[in-house]
Amino acid sequence: MGSKLRRIINTGRSRGEDVRRFILENVDRHPTVIARRVASHFQITRQAVHKHLSGLVLDGSLTEAGQTRGRTYALAPQADWNQTYSLDAALAEDVVWMRGIRPELGQVPDNVLRIWQHGLTQMFNNAIDHSEGTKIHVEIRRTAATTEMIVADDGVGIFRKIQSRMGLLDERHAILELSKGKLTTDPTRHTGEGIFFTSRMFDSFDIVSGDVSFSHTTGEEFDWIRDNAQSATGTTVWMRLANRTNRTTKKIFDQYVTGENYDFSRTVVPVVLAQYAGDPLVSRSQAKRVLARVDLFHTVVFDFSGVTSIGQAFADEIFRVFATAHPDMELLFVHATAAVSRLIARARSTAGANVRSRATGKRRS
C-alpha cells in the first residue's frame, strides 16, 4: 500500500472518529436533531451521518426510537451498577476500588482512570473516617460518553459536622471553608485537601447534605450553594466525568501546588459563598469569615464572580487590614465588577504592594 493511500485511509478513520465522538457528546442535548447538527458541523451529507448513527446503534452506544423524521437517539446505558457496604473497621477503600469499582468503568484512558481512582478513594475514605454512619452506598451509571458515580453514607452529614466542629453559624459557611481547601475535622489523620482537589478534577461535582447542596462545574464562573427542598440525611457525593478528556490529576494539582515539595500554597476563594440569603457583603465580620484560614496559603485569589457590590468596610478589612498584617502573602482578586474594583483599589492604596489585581476573565460592569 502506498504512503499516500495510507494517509488518506488514516485521515478518513480519524474524521470518522471525530464525527462519532461529536455525536456521543451532543446527542443528549439534541436527541431529535442530532443528524442535522452533525451534518452542519462537519459539512457532510445526512446520509453519511446516518451511517455513523446506525453504527453507534449497532455497537450499543446509542438507542433509537421512532420512524424516519420522528426518530430520536439517546445514549445507551453500558453499566448500571450499585453496591452497599457496611462502614466498619474491615472496610478498605483500595479493596473496594480494585474489586468493585474498577471493573465497572470499562475501557477508558489511563488519565480518566486515575481521576476516578482518586475521587472514589478520597470520598470513600472520608465516609469511613468522618461520617459516623453505618453504611455507604455506591452507584455507577456509564454510557459511551460519560460516567456518573454516587457515593452516599447515612452519617451525621459533612456540612453539619464542619459547622459544629468549627463553631460556624450556618452550613453554608462550612461550604465556604471546604472551597478554600486545607480543611479537616481530624488534622492528625487528614490534610484537608481531598475534597478541594477532587471537586476540581471532575466535569461536575456535587455534595448534598443536610439543608444545603454544593455544586462545582468545570467551566462555570462560580460554585453554587442551593437550599434543599427537604433536609438530606447523611452525605451524598455525585461525580460526573467524560470518558474522553485531556484533564489529568497532575494538571489539577499543578494549578495549586508550588515548590520542590509540591506545597499546597495557592487557593481560590469564591467570595459569593460568604453571602447569606442575598445579603450584601458590607461588614468586617463578613470579611473575616472570608479570611478564615487563608493565612495557611502563600497566594490567595479572591474570586468575585457573582458578587455585584461590596461595602467599604468589607474591602478595607481584606485589602488593607489583613494585607498589612500579612506582608509575605500575595493577595489577588479576579472577576470583580467596576464598582467592586474601585472599593478594592481604594483599600489597597494604603496597603502593601503585595495586593494586586490579575485580569483572568471579563470584568462585569
Side-chain angles (χ1 to χ4, degrees):
M1 182 185 297
S3 59
K4 183 176 181 180
L5 179 58
R6 189 179 295 110
R7 285 196 301 271
I8 293 173
I9 293 174
N10 289 337
T11 299
R13 287 175 178 171
S14 177
R15 184 169 174 81
E17 290 173 359
D18 289 343
V19 171
R20 290 188 289 275
R21 182 174 298 178
F22 184 88
I23 291 171
L24 294 174
E25 291 175 350
N26 289 273
V27 68
D28 271 353
R29 293 190 295 273
H30 310 287
T32 60
V33 294
I34 186 63
R36 187 170 68 203
R37 294 189 69 88
V38 175
S40 174
H41 183 83
F42 289 96
Q43 293 297 295
I44 57 179
T45 66
R46 293 282 190 93
Q47 183 181 15
V49 174
H50 281 291
K51 287 183 178 179
H52 288 292
L53 288 169
S54 297
L56 290 169
V57 171
L58 286 174
D59 72 16
S61 297
L62 294 180
T63 60
E64 62 178 343
Q67 300 293 324
T68 57
R69 291 184 180 275
R71 185 169 297 165
T72 62
Y73 295 90
L75 290 169
Q78 296 188 338
D80 193 350
W81 178 92
N82 69 87
Q83 182 70 46
T84 300
Y85 303 87
S86 296
L87 280 170
D88 54 42
L91 189 62
E93 66 270 16
D94 61 327
V95 176
V96 171
W97 164 256
M98 289 301 298
R99 296 180 180 177
I101 308 302
R102 172 63 187 90
E104 297 299 325
L105 296 179
Q107 297 299 314
V108 294
D110 186 65
N111 64 306
V112 173
L113 196 64
R114 296 287 77 80
I115 291 174
W116 277 119
Q117 182 178 17
H118 179 93
L120 181 280
T121 55
Q122 286 286 344
M123 297 305 100
F124 215 90
N125 184 255
N126 279 348
I128 293 173
D129 290 349
H130 300 304
S131 73
E132 301 177 31
T134 62
K135 60 185 178 180
I136 182 169
H137 182 74
V138 183
E139 295 183 19
I140 298 175
R141 300 164 188 161
R142 177 168 56 86
T143 69
T146 62
T147 300
E148 299 177 5
M149 194 178 299
I150 296 172
V151 181
D153 66 63
D154 62 349
V156 297
I158 184 173
F159 303 141
R160 287 176 178 170
K161 185 165 186 177
I162 293 171
Q163 178 190 3
S164 175
R165 291 290 180 90
M166 296 188 65
L168 303 175
L169 295 175
D170 190 88
E171 289 178 273
R172 294 166 184 79
H173 300 161
I175 297 179
L176 174 61
E177 294 307 310
L178 277 176
S179 297
K180 297 173 185 176
K182 289 191 179 180
L183 175 68
T184 176
T185 57
D186 188 0
T188 62
R189 303 169 67 186
H190 293 268
T191 62
E193 300 175 7
I195 290 178
F196 178 88
F197 284 111
T198 301
S199 68
R200 283 148 178 80
M201 291 180 183
F202 290 89
D203 297 334
S204 300
F205 180 92
D206 294 72
I207 302 178
V208 180
S209 182
D211 296 324
V212 294
S213 299
F214 164 77
S215 180
H216 175 88
T217 302
T218 296
E220 289 196 0
E221 287 190 302
F222 49 87
D223 299 335
W224 290 94
I225 298 178
R226 295 181 174 88
D227 293 323
N228 298 331
Q230 59 184 24
S231 187
T233 301
T235 301
T236 298
V237 178
W238 177 76
M239 299 171 281
R240 182 176 183 271
L241 184 66
N243 295 336
R244 296 289 185 276
T245 178
N246 61 7
R247 197 175 308 130
T248 67
T249 55
K250 184 179 184 301
K251 286 180 180 179
I252 301 301
F253 282 119
D254 285 351
Q255 292 179 33
Y256 301 95
V257 299
T258 58
E260 294 181 357
N261 297 325
Y262 289 92
D263 294 328
F264 181 15
S265 61
R266 181 181 184 274
T267 190
V268 179
V269 179
V271 180
V272 70
L273 297 186
Q275 290 184 317
Y276 177 71
D279 290 340
L281 298 170
V282 297
S283 69
R284 293 188 185 275
S285 60
Q286 289 172 311
K288 290 175 181 177
R289 190 173 303 134
V290 171
L291 290 168
R293 300 185 313 103
V294 300
D295 56 353
L296 297 175
F297 303 89
H298 172 71
T299 301
V300 180
V301 182
F302 297 95
D303 188 344
F304 283 88
S305 297
V307 178
T308 57
S309 65
I310 59 174
Q312 184 273 331
F314 181 89
D316 186 71
E317 186 66 31
I318 296 175
F319 295 100
R320 184 185 67 83
V321 176
F322 183 84
T324 302
H326 299 81
D328 294 332
M329 291 181 62
E330 184 179 36
L331 307 183
L332 314 176
F333 69 91
V334 296
H335 301 154
T337 65
V340 170
S341 296
R342 282 194 295 270
L343 282 174
I344 293 175
R346 178 183 176 188
R348 72 190 184 112
S349 64
T350 55
N354 59 308
V355 184
R356 59 187 176 85
S357 66
R358 186 174 66 181
T360 60
K362 187 179 292 185
R363 287 183 179 178
R364 292 180 294 276
S365 58

